[in-house]
Amino acid sequence: TTSKRLADRKIAKFQKNITKRGSVPETTVKKGNDYPVGPILLGFFVFVVIGSSLFQIIRTATSGGMA
């Protein structure tokens, strides 16, 4: 009958889910080479840090070591 077929379909679907249990991938997010900071921002940060340190070294050297 119709209700028997519906019940059998539900049971089959449930049994299929039971056999899949535990085979879930570790993460659903794709692992990629995404960096939290973009390369342009990283380059700008390195430019500012190295540039300011070089500026400080030059300023200290020209003032005779007494800042």
Side-chain angles (χ1 to χ4, degrees):
T1 63
T2 307
S3 61
K4 176 80 169 136
R5 273 186 269 146
L6 286 175
D8 287 342
R9 240 186 273 159
K10 282 185 180 182
I11 290 170
K13 192 174 184 182
F14 181 75
Q15 291 296 335
K16 193 164 64 171
N17 284 341
I18 292 287
T19 58
K20 286 183 182 178
R21 210 172 272 179
S23 63
V24 179
E26 284 184 28
T27 178
T28 57
V29 179
K30 292 182 181 179
K31 292 181 181 177
N33 294 336
D34 290 337
Y35 298 108
V37 178
I40 295 174
L41 188 62
L42 186 64
F44 178 73
F45 181 72
V46 169
F47 172 75
V48 168
V49 170
I50 292 175
S52 64
S53 64
L54 285 175
F55 182 72
Q56 185 68 32
I57 290 169
I58 291 170
R59 199 172 85 182
T60 304
T62 56
S63 67
M66 299 298 235

Short mmCIF file of all heavy atoms in Angstrom, two decimals:
data_model
loop_
_atom_site.label_atom_id
_atom_site.label_comp_id
_atom_site.label_asym_id
_atom_site.label_seq_id
_atom_site.Cartn_x
_atom_site.Cartn_y
_atom_site.Cartn_z
N THR A 1 0.84 -1.19 0.00
CA THR A 1 0.00 0.00 0.00
C THR A 1 0.88 1.25 0.00
O THR A 1 2.09 1.17 0.17
CB THR A 1 -0.92 0.00 1.23
OG1 THR A 1 -0.13 0.06 2.38
CG2 THR A 1 -1.82 -1.22 1.23
N THR A 2 0.21 2.40 -0.12
CA THR A 2 0.95 3.66 -0.22
C THR A 2 1.67 3.98 1.08
O THR A 2 2.84 4.39 1.06
CB THR A 2 -0.03 4.81 -0.56
OG1 THR A 2 -0.76 4.43 -1.72
CG2 THR A 2 0.73 6.08 -0.84
N SER A 3 1.02 3.80 2.20
CA SER A 3 1.67 4.13 3.47
C SER A 3 2.84 3.19 3.75
O SER A 3 3.84 3.60 4.35
CB SER A 3 0.65 4.06 4.61
OG SER A 3 0.12 2.75 4.72
N LYS A 4 2.75 1.96 3.32
CA LYS A 4 3.85 0.99 3.49
C LYS A 4 5.06 1.43 2.67
O LYS A 4 6.20 1.38 3.15
CB LYS A 4 3.36 -0.40 3.06
CG LYS A 4 4.42 -1.47 3.11
CD LYS A 4 4.60 -1.98 4.51
CE LYS A 4 5.46 -3.23 4.46
NZ LYS A 4 6.45 -3.22 5.50
N ARG A 5 4.80 1.91 1.42
CA ARG A 5 5.90 2.38 0.57
C ARG A 5 6.56 3.63 1.17
O ARG A 5 7.78 3.74 1.17
CB ARG A 5 5.40 2.69 -0.84
CG ARG A 5 5.40 1.47 -1.72
CD ARG A 5 5.05 1.81 -3.14
NE ARG A 5 3.58 1.69 -3.25
CZ ARG A 5 2.80 2.42 -4.01
NH1 ARG A 5 3.31 3.37 -4.74
NH2 ARG A 5 1.51 2.23 -4.04
N LEU A 6 5.75 4.54 1.68
CA LEU A 6 6.30 5.74 2.31
C LEU A 6 7.13 5.37 3.53
O LEU A 6 8.22 5.93 3.75
CB LEU A 6 5.17 6.70 2.71
CG LEU A 6 4.50 7.46 1.56
CD1 LEU A 6 3.33 8.28 2.09
CD2 LEU A 6 5.50 8.36 0.88
N ALA A 7 6.61 4.45 4.32
CA ALA A 7 7.34 4.02 5.51
C ALA A 7 8.66 3.35 5.11
O ALA A 7 9.70 3.59 5.73
CB ALA A 7 6.49 3.07 6.33
N ASP A 8 8.63 2.52 4.09
CA ASP A 8 9.86 1.86 3.63
C ASP A 8 10.88 2.87 3.12
O ASP A 8 12.08 2.74 3.35
CB ASP A 8 9.53 0.85 2.51
CG ASP A 8 8.85 -0.41 3.05
OD1 ASP A 8 8.93 -0.64 4.28
OD2 ASP A 8 8.24 -1.13 2.24
N ARG A 9 10.40 3.91 2.42
CA ARG A 9 11.30 4.96 1.93
C ARG A 9 11.95 5.71 3.09
O ARG A 9 13.15 5.99 3.07
CB ARG A 9 10.52 5.94 1.05
CG ARG A 9 11.08 5.99 -0.36
CD ARG A 9 10.44 7.05 -1.20
NE ARG A 9 9.24 6.49 -1.82
CZ ARG A 9 8.23 7.19 -2.28
NH1 ARG A 9 8.26 8.50 -2.18
NH2 ARG A 9 7.20 6.62 -2.82
N LYS A 10 11.15 6.03 4.10
CA LYS A 10 11.69 6.73 5.27
C LYS A 10 12.71 5.86 6.00
O LYS A 10 13.75 6.34 6.44
CB LYS A 10 10.56 7.12 6.22
CG LYS A 10 9.79 8.33 5.78
CD LYS A 10 8.78 8.72 6.83
CE LYS A 10 7.99 9.93 6.40
NZ LYS A 10 7.04 10.35 7.43
N ILE A 11 12.41 4.58 6.12
CA ILE A 11 13.33 3.66 6.80
C ILE A 11 14.64 3.54 6.02
O ILE A 11 15.72 3.56 6.61
CB ILE A 11 12.66 2.28 7.00
CG1 ILE A 11 11.55 2.40 8.03
CG2 ILE A 11 13.67 1.23 7.43
CD1 ILE A 11 10.67 1.16 8.14
N ALA A 12 14.54 3.45 4.71
CA ALA A 12 15.74 3.34 3.88
C ALA A 12 16.61 4.60 4.00
O ALA A 12 17.84 4.52 4.10
CB ALA A 12 15.37 3.10 2.43
N LYS A 13 15.95 5.75 3.99
CA LYS A 13 16.68 7.01 4.13
C LYS A 13 17.36 7.08 5.49
O LYS A 13 18.53 7.48 5.61
CB LYS A 13 15.70 8.17 3.96
CG LYS A 13 16.34 9.51 3.80
CD LYS A 13 15.27 10.56 3.50
CE LYS A 13 15.88 11.90 3.23
NZ LYS A 13 14.88 12.92 2.97
N PHE A 14 16.67 6.65 6.53
CA PHE A 14 17.23 6.65 7.87
C PHE A 14 18.41 5.69 7.97
O PHE A 14 19.45 6.03 8.54
CB PHE A 14 16.13 6.26 8.88
CG PHE A 14 16.60 6.25 10.30
CD1 PHE A 14 16.81 7.43 10.99
CD2 PHE A 14 16.84 5.05 10.95
CE1 PHE A 14 17.23 7.41 12.30
CE2 PHE A 14 17.27 5.02 12.26
CZ PHE A 14 17.47 6.21 12.94
N GLN A 15 18.29 4.52 7.38
CA GLN A 15 19.37 3.53 7.42
C GLN A 15 20.60 4.03 6.66
O GLN A 15 21.73 3.78 7.07
CB GLN A 15 18.89 2.20 6.82
CG GLN A 15 17.86 1.48 7.65
CD GLN A 15 18.38 1.05 9.01
OE1 GLN A 15 19.58 0.86 9.20
NE2 GLN A 15 17.48 0.93 9.96
N LYS A 16 20.37 4.75 5.55
CA LYS A 16 21.49 5.31 4.80
C LYS A 16 22.23 6.35 5.64
O LYS A 16 23.46 6.41 5.62
CB LYS A 16 20.97 5.93 3.50
CG LYS A 16 22.08 6.25 2.52
CD LYS A 16 21.58 6.51 1.11
CE LYS A 16 20.70 7.73 1.05
NZ LYS A 16 20.35 8.13 -0.31
N ASN A 17 21.49 7.15 6.40
CA ASN A 17 22.13 8.13 7.28
C ASN A 17 22.92 7.45 8.38
O ASN A 17 23.96 7.95 8.80
CB ASN A 17 21.08 9.06 7.89
CG ASN A 17 20.59 10.09 6.91
OD1 ASN A 17 21.24 10.35 5.90
ND2 ASN A 17 19.43 10.66 7.19
N ILE A 18 22.43 6.32 8.86
CA ILE A 18 23.13 5.60 9.92
C ILE A 18 24.49 5.12 9.41
O ILE A 18 25.49 5.21 10.11
CB ILE A 18 22.29 4.38 10.39
CG1 ILE A 18 21.03 4.84 11.11
CG2 ILE A 18 23.10 3.47 11.28
CD1 ILE A 18 21.25 5.41 12.48
N THR A 19 24.53 4.62 8.17
CA THR A 19 25.81 4.12 7.65
C THR A 19 26.79 5.25 7.35
O THR A 19 28.00 5.03 7.34
CB THR A 19 25.59 3.29 6.37
OG1 THR A 19 24.93 4.10 5.40
CG2 THR A 19 24.74 2.07 6.65
N LYS A 20 26.29 6.45 7.10
CA LYS A 20 27.18 7.59 6.83
C LYS A 20 27.72 8.22 8.12
O LYS A 20 28.62 9.04 8.06
CB LYS A 20 26.42 8.67 6.06
CG LYS A 20 26.16 8.35 4.62
CD LYS A 20 25.49 9.53 3.97
CE LYS A 20 25.15 9.24 2.52
NZ LYS A 20 24.44 10.37 1.92
N ARG A 21 27.18 7.87 9.24
CA ARG A 21 27.55 8.51 10.49
C ARG A 21 29.04 8.31 10.78
O ARG A 21 29.57 7.22 10.67
CB ARG A 21 26.72 7.91 11.62
CG ARG A 21 26.47 8.89 12.73
CD ARG A 21 25.50 8.34 13.71
NE ARG A 21 24.13 8.66 13.30
CZ ARG A 21 23.07 8.28 13.97
NH1 ARG A 21 23.19 7.54 15.04
NH2 ARG A 21 21.87 8.63 13.56
N GLY A 22 29.71 9.37 11.13
CA GLY A 22 31.13 9.31 11.45
C GLY A 22 32.03 9.57 10.27
O GLY A 22 33.23 9.74 10.42
N SER A 23 31.49 9.62 9.06
CA SER A 23 32.33 9.86 7.89
C SER A 23 32.20 11.30 7.40
O SER A 23 32.27 11.58 6.22
CB SER A 23 31.96 8.90 6.76
OG SER A 23 30.62 9.13 6.35
N VAL A 24 32.03 12.20 8.35
CA VAL A 24 31.91 13.62 8.02
C VAL A 24 33.32 14.19 7.87
O VAL A 24 34.21 13.84 8.64
CB VAL A 24 31.15 14.35 9.15
CG1 VAL A 24 31.03 15.83 8.86
CG2 VAL A 24 29.79 13.73 9.36
N PRO A 25 33.56 15.04 6.88
CA PRO A 25 34.90 15.62 6.76
C PRO A 25 35.25 16.47 7.97
O PRO A 25 34.37 16.98 8.67
CB PRO A 25 34.81 16.48 5.48
CG PRO A 25 33.35 16.69 5.25
CD PRO A 25 32.65 15.50 5.85
N GLU A 26 36.57 16.63 8.21
CA GLU A 26 37.03 17.37 9.38
C GLU A 26 36.52 18.80 9.38
O GLU A 26 36.12 19.33 10.40
CB GLU A 26 38.56 17.39 9.43
CG GLU A 26 39.16 16.09 9.89
CD GLU A 26 40.66 16.19 10.02
OE1 GLU A 26 41.17 17.30 10.26
OE2 GLU A 26 41.31 15.16 9.88
N THR A 27 36.55 19.43 8.23
CA THR A 27 36.09 20.80 8.14
C THR A 27 35.30 20.98 6.84
O THR A 27 35.58 20.32 5.86
CB THR A 27 37.26 21.79 8.19
OG1 THR A 27 36.74 23.11 8.06
CG2 THR A 27 38.27 21.53 7.10
N THR A 28 34.34 21.86 6.89
CA THR A 28 33.56 22.12 5.69
C THR A 28 34.14 23.28 4.90
O THR A 28 33.76 23.51 3.77
CB THR A 28 32.09 22.45 6.05
OG1 THR A 28 32.08 23.56 6.95
CG2 THR A 28 31.43 21.25 6.69
N VAL A 29 35.08 24.00 5.50
CA VAL A 29 35.72 25.14 4.83
C VAL A 29 36.88 24.61 4.00
O VAL A 29 37.67 23.79 4.46
CB VAL A 29 36.22 26.16 5.87
CG1 VAL A 29 36.90 27.34 5.17
CG2 VAL A 29 35.07 26.65 6.73
N LYS A 30 37.01 25.08 2.77
CA LYS A 30 38.11 24.65 1.93
C LYS A 30 39.42 25.22 2.46
O LYS A 30 39.50 26.40 2.80
CB LYS A 30 37.90 25.13 0.49
CG LYS A 30 36.74 24.47 -0.20
CD LYS A 30 36.62 24.95 -1.63
CE LYS A 30 35.45 24.30 -2.32
NZ LYS A 30 35.30 24.78 -3.69
N LYS A 31 40.40 24.35 2.52
CA LYS A 31 41.72 24.81 2.96
C LYS A 31 42.43 25.41 1.75
O LYS A 31 42.58 24.76 0.72
CB LYS A 31 42.54 23.66 3.53
CG LYS A 31 41.99 23.12 4.83
CD LYS A 31 42.84 22.00 5.37
CE LYS A 31 42.25 21.48 6.66
NZ LYS A 31 43.01 20.34 7.18
N GLY A 32 42.87 26.62 1.90
CA GLY A 32 43.54 27.29 0.79
C GLY A 32 44.71 28.10 1.30
O GLY A 32 45.11 28.01 2.46
N ASN A 33 45.27 28.88 0.43
CA ASN A 33 46.40 29.73 0.79
C ASN A 33 45.93 31.14 1.11
O ASN A 33 46.56 32.11 0.69
CB ASN A 33 47.42 29.76 -0.36
CG ASN A 33 48.05 28.40 -0.58
OD1 ASN A 33 48.10 27.59 0.32
ND2 ASN A 33 48.55 28.16 -1.78
N ASP A 34 44.85 31.25 1.83
CA ASP A 34 44.34 32.57 2.19
C ASP A 34 45.07 33.08 3.42
O ASP A 34 45.14 32.41 4.44
CB ASP A 34 42.84 32.50 2.49
CG ASP A 34 42.03 32.23 1.24
OD1 ASP A 34 42.53 32.54 0.15
OD2 ASP A 34 40.90 31.74 1.37
N TYR A 35 45.63 34.25 3.28
CA TYR A 35 46.33 34.87 4.39
C TYR A 35 45.38 35.86 5.06
O TYR A 35 44.59 36.51 4.39
CB TYR A 35 47.58 35.61 3.90
CG TYR A 35 48.58 34.69 3.24
CD1 TYR A 35 48.78 34.71 1.87
CD2 TYR A 35 49.32 33.79 4.00
CE1 TYR A 35 49.69 33.87 1.26
CE2 TYR A 35 50.23 32.95 3.42
CZ TYR A 35 50.42 32.99 2.04
OH TYR A 35 51.31 32.15 1.46
N PRO A 36 45.47 36.01 6.37
CA PRO A 36 44.58 36.96 7.03
C PRO A 36 44.87 38.41 6.63
O PRO A 36 44.01 39.27 6.73
CB PRO A 36 44.82 36.74 8.51
CG PRO A 36 46.10 36.00 8.61
CD PRO A 36 46.29 35.27 7.33
N VAL A 37 46.10 38.68 6.18
CA VAL A 37 46.48 40.02 5.74
C VAL A 37 46.91 39.91 4.28
O VAL A 37 47.66 39.01 3.90
CB VAL A 37 47.66 40.55 6.60
CG1 VAL A 37 48.10 41.92 6.11
CG2 VAL A 37 47.26 40.60 8.05
N GLY A 38 46.45 40.84 3.46
CA GLY A 38 46.80 40.82 2.06
C GLY A 38 48.25 41.18 1.83
O GLY A 38 48.90 41.80 2.67
N PRO A 39 48.80 40.80 0.68
CA PRO A 39 50.22 41.08 0.42
C PRO A 39 50.53 42.57 0.30
O PRO A 39 51.62 43.01 0.68
CB PRO A 39 50.49 40.36 -0.90
CG PRO A 39 49.16 40.12 -1.50
CD PRO A 39 48.18 40.05 -0.39
N ILE A 40 49.58 43.35 -0.17
CA ILE A 40 49.81 44.80 -0.29
C ILE A 40 49.90 45.44 1.09
O ILE A 40 50.79 46.24 1.37
CB ILE A 40 48.70 45.45 -1.14
CG1 ILE A 40 48.77 44.93 -2.57
CG2 ILE A 40 48.80 46.97 -1.11
CD1 ILE A 40 47.64 45.37 -3.45
N LEU A 41 48.98 45.05 1.96
CA LEU A 41 49.00 45.59 3.33
C LEU A 41 50.25 45.14 4.07
O LEU A 41 50.85 45.92 4.81
CB LEU A 41 47.74 45.14 4.08
CG LEU A 41 47.51 45.76 5.44
CD1 LEU A 41 47.32 47.27 5.31
CD2 LEU A 41 46.29 45.15 6.08
N LEU A 42 50.66 43.91 3.87
CA LEU A 42 51.88 43.42 4.50
C LEU A 42 53.10 44.18 4.00
O LEU A 42 53.97 44.56 4.79
CB LEU A 42 52.03 41.92 4.23
CG LEU A 42 53.18 41.22 4.93
CD1 LEU A 42 52.98 41.26 6.43
CD2 LEU A 42 53.28 39.79 4.45
N GLY A 43 53.16 44.42 2.69
CA GLY A 43 54.27 45.20 2.12
C GLY A 43 54.30 46.62 2.66
O GLY A 43 55.36 47.16 2.96
N PHE A 44 53.13 47.23 2.79
CA PHE A 44 53.06 48.58 3.34
C PHE A 44 53.54 48.61 4.79
O PHE A 44 54.29 49.50 5.19
CB PHE A 44 51.62 49.10 3.25
CG PHE A 44 51.44 50.47 3.84
CD1 PHE A 44 51.92 51.59 3.20
CD2 PHE A 44 50.77 50.62 5.05
CE1 PHE A 44 51.76 52.85 3.75
CE2 PHE A 44 50.60 51.87 5.61
CZ PHE A 44 51.10 52.99 4.95
N PHE A 45 53.15 47.61 5.56
CA PHE A 45 53.57 47.53 6.96
C PHE A 45 55.09 47.38 7.07
O PHE A 45 55.74 48.05 7.88
CB PHE A 45 52.86 46.35 7.65
CG PHE A 45 53.22 46.20 9.09
CD1 PHE A 45 52.75 47.09 10.03
CD2 PHE A 45 54.02 45.14 9.51
CE1 PHE A 45 53.08 46.94 11.37
CE2 PHE A 45 54.34 44.99 10.83
CZ PHE A 45 53.87 45.90 11.76
N VAL A 46 55.66 46.51 6.24
CA VAL A 46 57.12 46.33 6.25
C VAL A 46 57.81 47.62 5.82
O VAL A 46 58.81 48.02 6.41
CB VAL A 46 57.51 45.14 5.33
CG1 VAL A 46 59.01 45.10 5.10
CG2 VAL A 46 57.03 43.84 5.94
N PHE A 47 57.27 48.30 4.82
CA PHE A 47 57.84 49.57 4.36
C PHE A 47 57.84 50.61 5.48
O PHE A 47 58.84 51.30 5.70
CB PHE A 47 57.04 50.08 3.16
CG PHE A 47 57.39 51.46 2.73
CD1 PHE A 47 58.56 51.70 2.04
CD2 PHE A 47 56.55 52.53 3.01
CE1 PHE A 47 58.90 52.99 1.64
CE2 PHE A 47 56.87 53.81 2.62
CZ PHE A 47 58.06 54.04 1.93
N VAL A 48 56.75 50.70 6.21
CA VAL A 48 56.65 51.69 7.28
C VAL A 48 57.62 51.35 8.41
O VAL A 48 58.33 52.23 8.93
CB VAL A 48 55.20 51.79 7.81
CG1 VAL A 48 55.13 52.58 9.10
CG2 VAL A 48 54.30 52.41 6.75
N VAL A 49 57.68 50.09 8.81
CA VAL A 49 58.54 49.70 9.93
C VAL A 49 60.01 49.87 9.57
O VAL A 49 60.79 50.49 10.32
CB VAL A 49 58.26 48.24 10.35
CG1 VAL A 49 59.30 47.73 11.32
CG2 VAL A 49 56.87 48.14 10.95
N ILE A 50 60.43 49.36 8.41
CA ILE A 50 61.84 49.47 8.02
C ILE A 50 62.19 50.92 7.70
O ILE A 50 63.26 51.39 8.07
CB ILE A 50 62.13 48.54 6.82
CG1 ILE A 50 62.01 47.08 7.28
CG2 ILE A 50 63.50 48.80 6.24
CD1 ILE A 50 62.17 46.08 6.17
N GLY A 51 61.27 51.63 7.04
CA GLY A 51 61.54 53.03 6.72
C GLY A 51 61.70 53.89 7.96
O GLY A 51 62.61 54.72 8.04
N SER A 52 60.86 53.68 8.94
CA SER A 52 60.97 54.48 10.17
C SER A 52 62.23 54.12 10.94
O SER A 52 62.88 55.00 11.53
CB SER A 52 59.74 54.28 11.05
OG SER A 52 59.66 52.94 11.50
N SER A 53 62.62 52.86 10.94
CA SER A 53 63.85 52.49 11.64
C SER A 53 65.07 53.06 10.93
O SER A 53 66.01 53.54 11.59
CB SER A 53 63.97 50.97 11.79
OG SER A 53 64.08 50.38 10.52
N LEU A 54 65.07 53.04 9.59
CA LEU A 54 66.18 53.65 8.86
C LEU A 54 66.23 55.16 9.08
O LEU A 54 67.31 55.74 9.26
CB LEU A 54 66.06 53.35 7.36
CG LEU A 54 66.41 51.94 6.91
CD1 LEU A 54 66.12 51.76 5.42
CD2 LEU A 54 67.86 51.64 7.21
N PHE A 55 65.08 55.80 9.09
CA PHE A 55 65.03 57.23 9.36
C PHE A 55 65.59 57.55 10.75
O PHE A 55 66.34 58.51 10.93
CB PHE A 55 63.58 57.72 9.24
CG PHE A 55 63.42 59.19 9.44
CD1 PHE A 55 63.85 60.09 8.49
CD2 PHE A 55 62.83 59.67 10.61
CE1 PHE A 55 63.69 61.45 8.68
CE2 PHE A 55 62.68 61.02 10.81
CZ PHE A 55 63.10 61.92 9.84
N GLN A 56 65.26 56.75 11.73
CA GLN A 56 65.75 56.95 13.10
C GLN A 56 67.26 56.74 13.16
O GLN A 56 67.97 57.51 13.83
CB GLN A 56 65.05 55.99 14.06
CG GLN A 56 65.41 56.20 15.51
CD GLN A 56 64.88 57.51 16.04
OE1 GLN A 56 63.84 57.98 15.62
NE2 GLN A 56 65.60 58.11 16.97
N ILE A 57 67.78 55.74 12.46
CA ILE A 57 69.23 55.49 12.46
C ILE A 57 69.96 56.65 11.81
O ILE A 57 70.98 57.12 12.32
CB ILE A 57 69.53 54.16 11.72
CG1 ILE A 57 69.05 52.97 12.56
CG2 ILE A 57 71.02 54.03 11.42
CD1 ILE A 57 69.06 51.66 11.83
N ILE A 58 69.43 57.15 10.69
CA ILE A 58 70.07 58.27 10.01
C ILE A 58 70.02 59.51 10.89
O ILE A 58 71.01 60.26 11.00
CB ILE A 58 69.41 58.51 8.64
CG1 ILE A 58 69.73 57.35 7.70
CG2 ILE A 58 69.85 59.84 8.03
CD1 ILE A 58 68.94 57.37 6.41
N ARG A 59 68.90 59.77 11.53
CA ARG A 59 68.77 60.94 12.40
C ARG A 59 69.72 60.86 13.59
O ARG A 59 70.35 61.85 13.97
CB ARG A 59 67.32 61.05 12.88
CG ARG A 59 67.00 62.45 13.37
CD ARG A 59 65.54 62.60 13.64
NE ARG A 59 65.32 62.10 15.01
CZ ARG A 59 64.14 62.03 15.59
NH1 ARG A 59 63.06 62.37 14.93
NH2 ARG A 59 64.02 61.62 16.83
N THR A 60 69.86 59.67 14.14
CA THR A 60 70.79 59.49 15.29
C THR A 60 72.23 59.66 14.84
O THR A 60 73.04 60.28 15.54
CB THR A 60 70.58 58.10 15.90
OG1 THR A 60 69.22 57.95 16.27
CG2 THR A 60 71.44 57.93 17.14
N ALA A 61 72.57 59.15 13.65
CA ALA A 61 73.96 59.25 13.17
C ALA A 61 74.32 60.70 12.83
O ALA A 61 75.44 61.13 13.08
CB ALA A 61 74.12 58.37 11.93
N THR A 62 73.39 61.46 12.27
CA THR A 62 73.70 62.84 11.90
C THR A 62 73.74 63.77 13.10
O THR A 62 74.39 64.80 13.07
CB THR A 62 72.66 63.38 10.89
OG1 THR A 62 71.37 63.25 11.43
CG2 THR A 62 72.78 62.64 9.57
N SER A 63 73.06 63.41 14.18
CA SER A 63 73.08 64.28 15.36
C SER A 63 74.23 63.92 16.29
O SER A 63 74.31 64.45 17.39
CB SER A 63 71.75 64.19 16.11
OG SER A 63 71.59 62.90 16.67
N GLY A 64 75.09 63.04 15.89
CA GLY A 64 76.28 62.71 16.68
C GLY A 64 75.97 61.72 17.80
O GLY A 64 76.71 61.66 18.79
N GLY A 65 74.94 60.99 17.72
CA GLY A 65 74.63 59.98 18.73
C GLY A 65 73.81 60.51 19.88
O GLY A 65 73.34 59.75 20.72
N MET A 66 73.64 61.81 19.94
CA MET A 66 72.81 62.39 21.01
C MET A 66 71.47 62.81 20.43
O MET A 66 71.36 63.83 19.78
CB MET A 66 73.50 63.62 21.62
CG MET A 66 74.83 63.30 22.24
SD MET A 66 74.62 62.16 23.59
CE MET A 66 75.39 63.04 24.88
N ALA A 67 70.46 62.00 20.64
CA ALA A 67 69.15 62.32 20.08
C ALA A 67 68.52 63.35 20.95
O ALA A 67 67.86 64.23 20.68
CB ALA A 67 68.29 61.08 20.02
#
